[in-house]
Amino acid sequence: MFIVLLAISLDVGLLQIGMLVIVIGGVITLEMVNTAIERVVDLVSPTYHPLAKTAKDVAAAAVLIYSMIAVIVGIIVFYEPVMNLFL
């Protein structure tokens, strides 16, 4: 919510705000899927198993990669408005 309010206050375009909302929603959704995968793996394999660890690690890596993409989108969206504040 803070990011959207910041974008509005910096007079970012509506399309860019839409991109931010989609990317933020994607991160939250992917984190929920990651949590679900981890809980199901814990339910099916309560003791340590290498395949269970791999499943959890891959789900967490997907969240990490998507989060890095979200940061890149944020930099692209906010770069020009923030630079205009200082120039």
Side-chain angles (χ1 to χ4, degrees):
M1 188 60 145
F2 171 75
I3 296 299
V4 174
L5 292 175
L6 180 64
I8 292 169
S9 69
L10 289 175
D11 204 25
V12 172
L14 193 57
L15 181 62
Q16 288 85 358
I17 292 174
M19 284 188 339
L20 289 172
V21 169
I22 289 171
V23 169
I24 291 168
V27 170
I28 293 169
T29 302
L30 199 52
E31 185 58 48
M32 291 169 65
V33 171
N34 176 43
T35 300
I37 289 171
E38 288 189 1
R39 298 297 179 253
V40 169
V41 168
D42 288 342
L43 180 66
V44 173
S45 179
T47 59
Y48 176 80
H49 192 281
L51 290 176
K53 179 185 181 317
T54 301
K56 287 181 168 187
D57 289 347
V58 169
V63 175
L64 177 64
I65 291 168
Y66 196 86
S67 297
M68 289 188 292
I69 292 169
V71 169
I72 292 168
V73 169
I75 290 170
I76 291 169
V77 168
F78 283 110
Y79 180 77
E80 187 176 339
V82 169
M83 293 309 288
N84 287 339
L85 286 176
F86 297 107
L87 297 179

